[in-house]
Amino acid sequence: MQLDDGPWIHQMNWKAIRDYLSHSDIALVPVGATEQHGDHTPLMVDTGWAIAVAEGAARETNVLVTPPMHVGWSPHHLAYPGALTLRPETLTAMLVDVCESLIYHGFKKIVLVNGNRISNLPPMEIAAAKVRFSTGAYVSLIDVGLIARQEVSRICTVGENGHGGDSETSFMLHWKPELVDMTRAVKGHSGGSGPFATMPMPCEPPFDVNVLSVRPTAEEYGRASAPEGIGGDATLATAEKGKLVLEAIVRNTAIHINDIRGKTVSVRRPAIPI
Amino acid sequence: MQLDDGPWIHQMNWKAIRDYLSHSDIALVPVGATEQHGDHTPLMVDTGWAIAVAEGAARETNVLVTPPMHVGWSPHHLAYPGALTLRPETLTAMLVDVCESLIYHGFKKIVLVNGNRISNLPPMEIAAAKVRFSTGAYVSLIDVGLIARQEVSRICTVGENGHGGDSETSFMLHWKPELVDMTRAVKGHSGGSGPFATMPMPCEPPFDVNVLSVRPTAEEYGRASAPEGIGGDATLATAEKGKLVLEAIVRNTAIHINDIRGKTVSVRRPAIPI
Amino acid sequence: MQLDDGPWIHQMNWKAIRDYLSHSDIALVPVGATEQHGDHTPLMVDTGWAIAVAEGAARETNVLVTPPMHVGWSPHHLAYPGALTLRPETLTAMLVDVCESLIYHGFKKIVLVNGNRISNLPPMEIAAAKVRFSTGAYVSLIDVGLIARQEVSRICTVGENGHGGDSETSFMLHWKPELVDMTRAVKGHSGGSGPFATMPMPCEPPFDVNVLSVRPTAEEYGRASAPEGIGGDATLATAEKGKLVLEAIVRNTAIHINDIRGKTVSVRRPAIPI
Amino acid sequence: MQLDDGPWIHQMNWKAIRDYLSHSDIALVPVGATEQHGDHTPLMVDTGWAIAVAEGAARETNVLVTPPMHVGWSPHHLAYPGALTLRPETLTAMLVDVCESLIYHGFKKIVLVNGNRISNLPPMEIAAAKVRFSTGAYVSLIDVGLIARQEVSRICTVGENGHGGDSETSFMLHWKPELVDMTRAVKGHSGGSGPFATMPMPCEPPFDVNVLSVRPTAEEYGRASAPEGIGGDATLATAEKGKLVLEAIVRNTAIHINDIRGKTVSVRRPAIPI
Amino acid sequence: MQLDDGPWIHQMNWKAIRDYLSHSDIALVPVGATEQHGDHTPLMVDTGWAIAVAEGAARETNVLVTPPMHVGWSPHHLAYPGALTLRPETLTAMLVDVCESLIYHGFKKIVLVNGNRISNLPPMEIAAAKVRFSTGAYVSLIDVGLIARQEVSRICTVGENGHGGDSETSFMLHWKPELVDMTRAVKGHSGGSGPFATMPMPCEPPFDVNVLSVRPTAEEYGRASAPEGIGGDATLATAEKGKLVLEAIVRNTAIHINDIRGKTVSVRRPAIPI
Amino acid sequence: MQLDDGPWIHQMNWKAIRDYLSHSDIALVPVGATEQHGDHTPLMVDTGWAIAVAEGAARETNVLVTPPMHVGWSPHHLAYPGALTLRPETLTAMLVDVCESLIYHGFKKIVLVNGNRISNLPPMEIAAAKVRFSTGAYVSLIDVGLIARQEVSRICTVGENGHGGDSETSFMLHWKPELVDMTRAVKGHSGGSGPFATMPMPCEPPFDVNVLSVRPTAEEYGRASAPEGIGGDATLATAEKGKLVLEAIVRNTAIHINDIRGKTVSVRRPAIPI
């Protein structure tokens, strides 16, 4: 019999992790969400992004990955049954605790891999900054919607990549086809009201719009996304596009990991989180 | 193609969850840990317990399960590389947020399934009480080491069921044999110093000892469990015993779920966690 | 005139405490509760346990005791007039602050003496762990219901030792008879519903049951304990049994204190709590 | 035998408290401190003030008193062995929890009785305001150093009433002479440096000084009060003065209680603290 | 063109601050409030006090001033439109963060200048103590109502100096006459009910009263100050008195600053607030 | 004499605010920062942006503005003397408290105007979401670097608009020329290292880059911006460009305000922050 040798830390034993730390110092932390993605894909799409990207990039670069975090900051998605959300300070605390645990063991560079696009970003950016300042470790934050938005915009149909739309459904058709039912895929609303984009970081063109930030309440989100809960056109999705999209995001994530591999950082070992 | 119809919430779509809530109101929340279990089993043993017990009991009773929480309260395990821990207040907050999300949707009875034995209990009991008092929902806490300790004590060798010992290794041999390497299994120390048991809730006989509580520091735990990190005798493990142990714990958990199914509770719907 | 020389810290002057610290490093911290114990005993029974056990064990072992903490975690007892409760995080914080104060002065070993049985345990165990990890000091937690449950089960009537029942009333008849009115003592309900014990740490036999944790709400507790608020049979109580019970608990607590007296611990002096 | 009928809540049973609430709605909460008061009096002087004043005023006005809180906000006193301190937010939380418990039961007017003079005031004033705004209950704060400072200044020697000085020692000689050793009483330093009083609320004349607030660190306090820890002249103390001082403070506290007795307040019942 | 060389830090550039720190180590932090002051003066009166006093004293003593904090602890003032309040713990946290920032740069002595009289004091005193204990820096707290209450009582009419009354209106007539409309100035109520002063630190005679603390709710405050919101007689105000009042407070503040200039303090540099 | 009638709330009296609320329900909250902007402009540039944009847009649209908040989230700027920072949770709490105060009075739509570009965004977005969900009020977040980035990119030199560069210096030359010394203006570094932009929301082209988030530590930021602290070319700045830039940002902010004016929102009045 043989214990797993990675990249998932929870499938390894402690001696294998000890050995890894003798020559490397990078860990990935996948963070997803549990929230509806229409009638045709399951609530785990965002966690799926985080798992698939982290696992793919880790295999390409021979680094380790912590177990995935399945719940993010998704309060507006509670408009639909089943969605789970953490308070933002809980998500920040959870990531700080996990990062401090890793740094205590000798990890010095942590890449947070966010599968929930910009919804999770504020509490995750705060966590990353807290850990950087308190320990000196390098902590960066990859967002699956932003790290390869150029490539994704070329592969999928611009304007149809909203929540549960072309790119997300394509990804799921490639990664977990058994959890997709394309007979239920529809074209959702394409958002947009008022003179400015209200999500400050667009995942697809136009990238050059003037932006402000208005996070919708559950009531507003429910109304705006009714009746299915998605944005963009899910019927355009194919497994082939999903494969290309995932590869692009994994590739760019791997480029970042390789970019920081040789970086010298001076770490102050934190206390065990208690 | 067909979306999954349970028991895992994150593998379902929101309409299936909506339909479930029209006739049922129970959810299970599996909580594990990421901590070493010797040289022969991976860090995910405790999460494995929570996953396998929750999934098994849910299938027997037709209830739903949230995605698993992989990190618990394990500060003493940071003596060994790879272990992750949350601060206890983070674990409490995470569970409160998840439970409030569920109750917001209409779930009225939540069973927390703890795979990390008594290490996780204090912050989990606090979370359960907070949710009970603030919402009126029913929240109970199953511990895989306590809900069938009579049966486990009959199946495995009493005195050898410590951390990573007979029962835990047997479970893994049954549930994920590909993650076990029995050639590395050893007999660990059997703890015990001073005139009283220092863990107040024994998982195996003698159950009638006088007890007090002393939670070890990482230094103490590292010394006491050196060199492999386990307690009890892992070499006694077999997949057959693991199957019986899991079945007993699942059965008792299912008994509890069925016991609360008809219970009437009056719930005050919480606000969306924010 | 003569200042008191112990064991109560608040009845001593600072020079006497300074002198004590030149040769010893142990302090006891009694923690009780203010909650009803039926019509025949006062709300201070749990604080009484903590005071009497701490004082008795301290006199046997020549160690010091902090002033008693009168309020614990008793939310379900607010079903009855007069009960006070702290939030669990308040109780944790209070104990952390007191322990850090003690350790700042040079105390290295602290025994928390809990008189409120398992109700107080989760926040107290968290406090003990936090202090242990942050300072290195030794902190243990004695529960008056668990440290001598074998002896108490022999002295009093098994099955009648619930809240305000045989053993608690006997204790009060011995310790503060002027606060007991046996003409109002009754036999209360003996709890129990569903296939498992719902309190994971039994104080009396059967000790070997399968257990889970369900903390009752105030409404549930009020219903279950109506009309008097007690469990077990208070009419069986005698001062003689109370004396024997207290002696057993004191003796075992003293054994623990003597057991840790020579223990070497390396303490990192905390900052003054601020 | 007869249960106590007050004023101490913890010495009563729940039916007596229920009966009290049928005709009255006032409770006193005594808050002290555990901090040195020189070589001649014990660390409980401030808790003693709170106990004696609350008990005395309660007996005069037939109201109830919660058990005393022995630890306040005393960080500077950790300059001397044995002193305990809470963080200010812990003290605030403890009082909020206790007040909410009382108001849950039907108490509508709470008088916090502070025995630690102005050291405890900031966190206590915050607690009182929080409870007032969140529940509508009436909460006032009596300070034993301020409620009768005119009378105390006439009874004792002005300029000699500092920490552990004339008035505090006199009080202890009257209240607990067995805990005072006048052979060790000395005259301490009379503070004062810089052009302004640094304690903004003088307990004795001159009352009309210009004031600012500088709370000393433990180092500063230790230096300023060396070698004994007291301010003012303890050798002037007599039990007779102590009796007069206590009577004046009790009388004024009772006047305040009677003043609020008929006050109409509209209370929003809080949730049980959890 | 020329950058400002003080005293306002936010109007300087970093090199000027660097140069200042090479020879000095004092900073002032003005803290005000946004709350009504009757029909004739604007909501910024308290911030105006803090700004004018800090600026004046800084110019006299050549020290620097941080930008003003416009919101304090004013919950009772929400009885009138426009008032803003922080929770007390927010105000404490804000000041701790600002002080730690200053001390990180090398400031060693900080004078908090409070323009909101005793309303702001509890959270400000807690902030000052926390910073003192954690860093060793010197932090004092000047209150514009207390640092020159003798002089103000001589300049203005005793008994008419309440909220928005003689002294506050006079100050505004001197400092920002364009924001005062004396045609709307009236004589307000002069408070006072019950046998004791309910504000423990009187700003004007009688200073020698017996006091207790009762912070009014918004409802109570609204009723007590109706219909205009002020206390004291605003019609007595003149710009001449305002000039004298401001000069007295500035002078005394400057005396304090000069008094601490040569003080030696040993500072432990804090981490950057994160 | 005449009281101010807006737009600054703190320069008005409560009756004027009451009258405003009888016909309008919008308030702006300007939030800046205190951090270095090179040798040629003062530390208040970001607060200046917030003040000037809020005031300008408020005058165009006849809405009110709260007093400015001078301190934001700027931990990396502590590399240079004088910078102040709040912890992110303090900034979130401060904004929540201010927004709840406003909504308590009847304001229903709040526009947070951020002058510190993306540094402040995470804690501000969290505050906005918390207030939206808990009260139902509309809260949006304008960032002066994002609301008119198209126009600013046309007015100033692309690639030279970093921290303290062309656009920021131009703004200050227009708004507060007396606080600018162009003889000290220099060309700073233009950032950039690694294959991705590390600030996820570019204020100037290229807008279409792939992005990730890495918030620099103070050490990193100090090194990267040495020796002056700026990015972009400040020597290109002119007051004329500053006027155009400010007008564009004000105009777009006013467009947003007018866009939400008629929006119907249903508000649950919050409790007074306490």
Side-chain angles (χ1 to χ4, degrees), chain D residues 160-176:
Chain D
E160 304 299 350
N161 289 313
H163 188 81
D166 185 3
S167 57
E168 295 211 316
T169 306
S170 292
F171 160 65
M172 286 300 288
L173 278 173
H174 165 64
W175 187 63
K176 291 276 182 205

Side-chain angles (χ1 to χ4, degrees), chain F residues 2 7 14 44 53 67 74 77 97 136-137 146 149 173 249 274:
Chain F
Q2 190 64 46
W14 68 267
M44 73 173 299
V53 170
S74 312
H77 277 282
D97 293 354
L146 297 174
R149 56 183 189 168
L173 279 173
I249 297 173
I274 191 73

Side-chain angles (χ1 to χ4, degrees), chain A residues 149-182:
Chain A
R149 57 184 188 167
Q150 292 175 332
E151 293 84 344
V152 173
S153 298
R154 285 194 295 267
I155 298 165
C156 294
T157 305
V158 167
E160 305 298 349
N161 289 314
H163 188 79
D166 185 2
S167 57
E168 294 211 318
T169 305
S170 293
F171 160 66
M172 286 300 288
L173 278 173
H174 165 65
W175 187 63
K176 291 277 182 203
E178 68 275 18
L179 293 178
V180 185
D181 180 351
M182 283 302 285

Side-chain angles (χ1 to χ4, degrees), chain E residues 1-3 10 12-15 39 43-44 80 83 85 87 90 97 100-101 105 178-180 228, chain F residues 1-3 10 12-15 39 42-44 80 83 85 87 90 97 100 105 178-180 228:
Chain E
M1 275 169 291
Q2 190 63 45
L3 277 187
H10 55 301
M12 302 166 68
N13 67 355
W14 67 267
K15 291 190 180 171
D39 197 20
L43 276 74
M44 73 172 299
Y80 293 87
T85 188
R87 283 170 173 81
T90 307
D97 293 354
E100 288 180 355
S101 296
H105 292 307
E178 68 276 17
L179 293 178
V180 185
E228 296 299 345
Chain F
M1 275 169 289
Q2 190 64 46
L3 276 187
H10 54 301
M12 301 168 67
N13 67 353
W14 68 267
K15 291 190 180 171
D39 196 22
L43 276 74
M44 73 173 299
Y80 293 87
T85 188
R87 285 170 172 82
T90 306
D97 293 354
E100 288 181 355
H105 291 308
E178 70 275 19
L179 293 179
V180 186
E228 297 299 344

Side-chain angles (χ1 to χ4, degrees), chain A residues 1-4 9-15 17-18 21 34 36-44 66-71 73 75 77-78 80-90 93-94 96-98 100-102 104-105 173 177-182 184 218-219 227-229 272-274, chain B residues 1-4 9-15 17-18 21 34 36-44 66-71 73 75 77-78 80-90 93-94 96-98 100-102 104-105 173 177-182 184 218-219 227-229 272-274:
Chain A
M1 273 169 291
Q2 190 64 45
L3 276 188
D4 202 307
I9 282 175
H10 54 301
Q11 297 184 2
M12 302 167 67
N13 66 355
W14 68 267
K15 291 190 180 171
I17 298 166
R18 180 196 58 188
L21 283 167
T34 298
Q36 67 84 24
H37 282 73
D39 196 19
H40 65 297
T41 52
L43 276 74
M44 73 173 299
T66 68
M69 314 293 155
H70 282 268
V71 190
W73 191 34
H77 277 281
L78 269 74
Y80 293 88
L84 305 177
T85 189
L86 301 180
R87 284 170 172 82
E89 56 269 32
T90 307
M94 190 181 78
V96 166
D97 293 354
V98 167
E100 288 181 355
S101 296
L102 291 168
Y104 179 84
H105 292 307
L173 278 173
E178 68 275 18
L179 293 178
V180 185
D181 180 351
M182 283 302 285
R184 304 187 194 166
E219 291 80 1
E228 296 299 345
I272 292 174
I274 192 71
Chain B
M1 273 169 290
Q2 191 64 44
L3 278 186
D4 202 306
I9 282 176
H10 55 300
Q11 297 184 3
M12 302 166 68
N13 68 354
W14 68 267
K15 291 189 180 172
I17 298 166
R18 181 195 58 188
L21 284 167
T34 298
Q36 67 82 23
H37 282 74
D39 196 21
H40 64 297
T41 53
L43 277 73
M44 73 173 299
T66 68
M69 314 294 155
H70 282 267
V71 190
W73 190 34
H77 278 280
L78 269 74
Y80 293 87
L84 304 177
T85 188
L86 301 179
R87 283 170 173 83
E89 55 269 33
T90 306
M94 191 181 77
V96 166
D97 293 355
V98 167
E100 288 181 354
S101 296
L102 291 167
Y104 179 85
H105 292 307
L173 278 172
E178 68 274 20
L179 293 179
V180 186
D181 180 351
M182 284 301 286
R184 305 188 196 165
E219 291 78 3
E228 296 298 345
I272 293 174
I274 190 72

Side-chain angles (χ1 to χ4, degrees), chain A residues 46-266:
Chain A
D46 294 338
T47 308
W49 279 116
I51 289 173
V53 170
E55 184 167 20
R59 289 202 193 283
E60 277 199 24
T61 58
N62 284 313
V63 301
L64 298 188
V65 189
T66 68
M69 314 293 155
H70 282 268
V71 190
W73 191 34
S74 313
H76 52 304
H77 277 281
L78 269 74
Y80 293 88
L84 305 177
T85 189
L86 301 180
R87 284 170 172 82
E89 56 269 32
T90 307
L91 180 50
T92 296
M94 190 181 78
L95 290 172
V96 166
D97 293 354
V98 167
C99 288
E100 288 181 355
S101 296
L102 291 168
I103 298 166
Y104 179 84
H105 292 307
F107 290 92
K108 294 185 175 175
K109 296 156 193 164
I110 299 173
V111 181
L112 308 177
V113 178
N114 176 34
N116 189 22
R117 299 198 194 173
I118 75 165
S119 285
N120 278 357
L121 281 190
M124 291 184 72
E125 290 201 285
I126 290 172
K130 283 181 181 283
V131 174
R132 296 212 73 195
F133 274 79
S134 66
T135 68
Y138 180 88
V139 185
S140 61
L141 174 45
I142 292 280
D143 184 284
V144 301
L146 298 174
I147 191 65
R149 57 184 188 167
Q150 292 175 332
E151 293 84 344
V152 173
S153 298
R154 285 194 295 267
I155 298 165
C156 294
T157 305
V158 167
E160 305 298 349
N161 289 314
H163 188 79
D166 185 2
S167 57
E168 294 211 318
T169 305
S170 293
F171 160 66
M172 286 300 288
L173 278 173
H174 165 65
W175 187 63
K176 291 277 182 203
E178 68 275 18
L179 293 178
V180 185
D181 180 351
M182 283 302 285
T183 67
R184 304 187 194 166
V186 298
K187 181 171 181 2
H189 296 295
S190 45
S193 76
F196 301 100
T198 55
M199 277 305 210
M201 276 174 292
C203 294
E204 59 176 356
F207 293 127
D208 63 346
V209 286
N210 289 330
V211 293
L212 54 83
S213 166
V214 190
R215 298 204 166 236
T217 60
E219 291 80 1
E220 287 173 346
Y221 181 77
R223 270 198 311 275
S225 63
E228 296 299 345
I230 71 167
D233 190 347
T235 67
L236 302 173
T238 69
E240 292 68 30
K241 289 197 280 190
K243 181 167 182 291
L244 292 172
V245 162
L246 179 59
E247 285 172 354
I249 298 173
V250 165
R251 188 185 320 119
N252 285 3
T253 303
I255 289 171
H256 172 61
I257 295 167
N258 286 325
D259 185 50
I260 63 174
R261 193 184 298 278
K263 192 177 180 64
T264 302
V265 292
S266 171

